[in-house]
Amino acid sequence: KNQVEQSPQSLIILEGKNCTLQCNYTVSPFSNLRWYKQDTGRGPVSLTIMTFSENTKSNGRYTATLDADTKQSSLHITASQLSDSASYICVVSAFSGGYNKLIFGAGTRLAVHP
Amino acid sequence: GAVVSQHPSWVICKSGTSVKIECRSLDFQATTMFWYRQFPKQSLMLMATSNEGSKATYEQGVEKDKFLINHASLTLSTLTVTSAHPEDSSFYICSASADRRTPWRSEQYFGPGTRLTVT
């Protein structure tokens, strides 16, 4: 069964600190992996999209890594800001039920405190 | 960047009535649009995929007669929740892709969501 699992479920850090969010997936065949940021009550906003051949991709203070062999990805946030408080969702593009679609993880809820 | 809007942003309706939610791509042509629902503290669940000018493809377990989807133009898709019940209360989010052939590979742009409460 195609699944995307994220850890931790929630995380609290102090402003200015770094953090790393994890994503493990059991999806085959794999097309791409995406990280989204979702503020409460809003739609997701794309941070990165990574294909099979990409190991790392950055978007400002966000850096995503991908290990296609172990089927693991991480999202590293550097020098966190209060505005980083949100849910971070790992999404894998997969072939399921006869066609391709996005498989969403449950997300990691990040709270950045002053 | 590409912008997707939804209207209304929130709606309260009585049980048994129907509610229409609009999803618009403001600055690009969306050949494929997706509708999701999200319950509190849960992730997004795909309800259906719609291509402009053709019938929507519904996910298993989603009632097509209850959740009517129309994608009549390249910039507008609508989701109508018919005979709404309290269990239909949820956060409904649409997304749009300009790639008809391989939308799962290209960027999807999400709308801000619509909060539906059925009393």
Side-chain angles (χ1 to χ4, degrees):
Chain A
K1 181 180 179 182
N2 288 325
Q3 283 188 319
V4 177
E5 296 183 346
Q6 293 186 241
S7 61
Q9 278 190 327
S10 61
L11 182 63
I12 299 174
I13 61 173
L14 295 177
E15 186 179 13
K17 297 297 185 181
N18 304 334
C19 67
T20 300
L21 315 179
Q22 300 292 338
C23 174
N24 296 334
Y25 60 93
T26 55
V27 172
S28 182
F30 170 89
S31 180
N32 59 62
L33 185 145
R34 312 160 184 230
W35 283 94
Y36 286 92
K37 177 186 179 185
Q38 184 179 22
D39 293 311
T40 302
R42 307 292 292 174
V45 174
S46 178
L47 297 176
T48 63
I49 298 180
M50 301 176 70
T51 61
F52 182 88
S53 60
E54 296 176 291
N55 299 120
T56 184
K57 188 169 252 187
S58 293
N59 178 0
R61 294 180 297 103
Y62 301 102
T63 299
T65 65
L66 174 64
D67 186 334
D69 291 331
T70 61
K71 299 188 177 181
Q72 296 180 326
S73 175
S74 67
L75 180 69
H76 186 74
I77 303 175
T78 304
S80 61
Q81 300 176 358
L82 298 179
S83 59
D84 292 332
S85 297
S87 285
Y88 291 84
I89 308 172
C90 176
V91 183
V92 179
S93 176
F95 188 82
S96 176
Y99 55 95
N100 283 274
K101 63 181 180 182
L102 300 182
I103 309 295
F104 286 76
T108 292
R109 300 173 71 86
L110 175 65
V112 181
H113 290 181
Chain B
V3 179
V4 175
S5 70
Q6 283 185 238
H7 178 80
S9 55
W10 60 270
V11 58
I12 301 174
C13 70
K14 293 185 177 180
S15 186
T17 61
S18 295
V19 175
K20 179 183 286 188
I21 302 170
E22 293 185 348
C23 177
R24 293 180 184 274
S25 57
L26 299 185
D27 51 4
F28 68 102
Q29 293 186 329
T31 53
T32 305
M33 284 186 169
F34 305 84
W35 285 96
Y36 298 86
R37 65 187 299 181
Q38 184 177 31
F39 293 106
K41 297 186 178 181
Q42 293 186 24
S43 194
L44 282 72
M45 292 179 57
L46 179 65
M47 298 175 66
T49 302
S50 73
N51 289 305
E52 181 266 337
S54 61
K55 290 184 178 180
T57 301
Y58 289 80
E59 293 299 295
Q60 192 172 11
V62 178
E63 300 175 59
K64 59 181 66 177
D65 293 331
K66 181 170 183 61
F67 299 98
L68 302 178
I69 292 173
N70 184 284
H71 192 164
S73 78
L74 286 172
T75 59
L76 174 65
S77 176
T78 60
L79 168 68
T80 301
V81 183
T82 62
S83 186
H85 291 284
E87 56 265 30
D88 298 324
S89 298
S90 186
F91 192 52
Y92 291 87
I93 305 175
C94 72
S95 70
S97 168
D99 187 337
R100 177 191 288 272
R101 290 182 59 191
T102 57
W104 55 89
R105 291 181 180 171
S106 63
E107 184 63 85
Q108 283 192 28
Y109 302 97
F110 286 83
T114 296
R115 174 76 58 191
L116 170 64
T117 301
V118 185
T119 60

